Amino acid sequence: MMTRPIPVPHAVRDTDHVKVAISGTGFIARGACAALSAFPQYDVTRVLTRRPVAASAGAFPEEKLTNSIDEFLEDADIVVECSGDAAHAAEVMIAAGEAGRNIVTINSEAQITVGSAMVRRGYSITEAHGDQPGCLAELHEECLDMGFTPLAYINLKGFLNLTPSLEDMQYWGPKQGLSLRQVTSFTDGSKLQVEQAFVANGLGAGIAQQGLIGGSVAELSDLGAHVEAARKLGKPISDYTLNPGGPPGVLVLADCAVADAATDYMPFTRLQTKEGGAYVLLRPHHLVHLELTKTLRRVVEGRPPLLTNSADPTITVAAIAKRPLPAGTVFDEALGGFDLRGEAIEIAGNADAAPITLMDGARLRHAVEPGQVLRMSDVEMVENRALDLYRESLTPQG
């Protein structure tokens, strides 16, 4: 696996008083702010919002809210980007990088869209612990420390419906404390496709097929198909499985010669897949808000990033039509909407695939059929900084 240059974090001067600025005011931002309030060494100095300040004043102290990126960055050591919007995040992350701030994301959408451009510029950027890509990166480190060789990085889900109805999503969104857009992107699988594309890029893995293998298993030891796919590909794969009623976490399928030699040692044998082809290393939770402090401590200590999209990504997430769409269709909400969903796809041979994360506001030039991969030539996309940075990341470095 090629060794890529790793951005060096900028020094945090006062490690006992770390100034943190949060970009976003949604579910993740609120939880992060609440979690950091329990740690006196972390001071949330500013919260960046695109809404009128008064609209978010109930969830955050009004004096900390701002609409100005310059004001947001002025008194910050670390910027936590969790707006969930790739185009907006690009503006925040570029400004933060140019200002020499450390960037922590809880935003896989932004990472697979502009994260590679940030790495190429040498900015200090990392994904956070706690979200599933960060959990897989942390488990990856633990596997290597114990002598395991990863074969597959698996995101665990309980349920998917590629074409959920508006009525169902309007019911489940409030029930789960999520926006309509969030609950839809979770349910139709777009979010996990984004996450696993990010994991593949960051950990040097591949994908076994467009849209991933997936499938449903009753037991987590029944993942032989993923092991076989990784061995066939000749490198680790990034994928997922459905395990209804199982833990909301992640797992790594791995080899280990030392464990193989201990044929009667129960702690090892109980980790094996049913076919005995690999070991199942499970992390049965992902505590998004509560684990952010681990990332902040890592940045303060000047350690390498936990996870980035790498300088040379190999996987993107293409927009796929959910239904017949006529020419002239404008996508007000692409990711998490009812016209499109996302699928992980190799960039090689598909550099012209339209990225689901940048389809907001795009207009179809001609009709498309259900299941069709949209190409950039199929749509008039909104020209912005994020699209420029995405195009830049598709060009291999010389």
Side-chain angles (χ1 to χ4, degrees):
M1 184 169 60
M2 183 186 301
T3 301
R4 302 185 177 101
I6 298 174
V8 178
H10 300 280
V12 175
R13 295 180 181 178
D14 185 354
T15 58
D16 294 323
H17 183 213
V18 182
K19 299 173 182 178
V20 181
I22 297 176
S23 172
T25 55
F27 173 76
I28 298 295
R30 294 193 300 272
C33 196
L36 294 182
S37 68
F39 295 83
Q41 68 267 42
Y42 300 119
D43 177 17
V44 177
T45 54
R46 289 289 183 183
V47 176
L48 182 66
T49 179
R50 288 169 287 170
R51 301 183 181 93
V53 166
S56 298
F60 302 91
E62 189 166 353
E63 67 274 10
K64 293 184 184 291
L65 290 161
T66 182
N67 298 129
S68 165
I69 293 180
D70 290 339
E71 191 175 70
F72 169 73
L73 295 173
E74 185 178 354
D75 196 25
D77 296 312
I78 303 174
V79 167
V80 177
E81 213 309 313
C82 52
S83 66
D85 182 305
H88 172 67
E91 299 294 338
V92 175
M93 290 158 64
I94 281 287
E98 290 176 348
R101 304 299 189 263
N102 297 279
I103 306 163
V104 171
T105 63
I106 312 176
N107 193 337
S108 298
E109 295 86 346
Q111 282 279 5
I112 67 161
T113 308
V114 302
S116 293
M118 305 293 108
V119 173
R120 290 184 179 191
R121 283 165 168 73
Y123 297 156
S124 170
I125 181 169
T126 181
E127 179 72 357
H129 296 73
D131 211 1
Q132 282 169 301
C135 287
L136 278 168
E138 185 177 19
L139 187 53
H140 162 83
E141 289 185 345
E142 293 174 0
C143 287
L144 297 184
D145 286 343
M146 292 186 287
F148 286 90
T149 302
L151 292 168
Y153 303 101
I154 306 295
N155 190 323
L156 299 177
K157 299 298 182 190
F159 175 78
L160 286 180
N161 177 359
L162 300 186
T163 55
S165 69
L166 173 61
E167 293 74 21
D168 282 349
M169 296 300 91
Q170 288 174 330
Y171 171 78
W172 284 108
K175 196 173 183 68
Q176 297 178 347
L178 300 171
S179 69
L180 179 62
R181 192 168 190 175
Q182 285 175 315
V183 75
T184 305
S185 70
F186 294 173
T187 303
D188 71 9
S190 297
K191 177 69 171 176
L192 80 83
Q193 296 281 333
V194 167
E195 291 176 339
Q196 295 313 104
F198 178 25
V199 168
N201 291 332
L203 298 183
I207 58 173
Q209 63 186 45
Q210 177 183 322
L212 312 181
I213 299 170
S216 181
V217 297
E219 299 178 26
L220 296 179
S221 59
D222 194 18
L223 288 168
H226 291 77
V227 174
E228 184 179 341
R231 297 202 190 284
K232 182 177 180 180
L233 189 65
K235 65 188 297 187
I237 62 170
S238 178
D239 217 291
Y240 76 96
T241 192
L242 301 180
N243 181 222
V250 299
L251 64 82
V252 170
L253 298 171
D255 283 330
C256 183
V258 173
D260 287 344
T263 56
D264 58 349
Y265 186 50
M266 189 177 298
F268 290 161
T269 57
R270 282 192 172 180
L271 291 178
Q272 288 181 318
T273 56
K274 285 183 178 178
E275 297 83 1
Y279 296 91
V280 180
L281 300 171
L282 171 68
R283 192 173 190 272
H285 59 267
H286 63 290
L287 308 176
V288 182
H289 310 132
L290 301 184
E291 297 188 59
L292 174 60
T293 53
K294 293 193 289 186
T295 320
L296 299 182
R297 183 171 64 249
R298 189 181 182 114
V299 172
V300 169
E301 291 173 353
R303 296 166 58 199
L306 174 70
L307 183 67
T308 74
N309 202 55
S310 85
D312 293 297
T314 60
I315 309 297
T316 188
V317 180
I320 309 290
K322 286 183 176 180
R323 60 186 183 87
L325 297 170
T329 298
V330 175
F331 305 109
D332 295 327
E333 291 187 340
L335 183 68
F338 295 88
D339 294 327
L340 303 173
R341 59 182 178 84
E343 280 191 1
I345 192 171
E346 290 185 349
I347 292 172
N350 296 288
D352 63 339
I356 184 73
T357 54
L358 291 175
M359 290 294 287
D360 283 7
R363 180 182 180 277
L364 267 181
R365 290 192 169 103
H366 51 77
V368 296
E369 296 300 316
Q372 183 173 335
V373 176
L374 271 62
R375 306 290 172 177
M376 291 189 186
S377 58
D378 294 328
V379 291
E380 298 168 6
M381 299 180 69
V382 176
E383 295 290 335
N384 53 29
R385 178 80 70 93
L387 181 55
D388 290 341
L389 294 172
Y390 178 77
R391 287 173 175 145
E392 177 185 313
S393 70
L394 296 180
T395 305
Q397 294 192 114

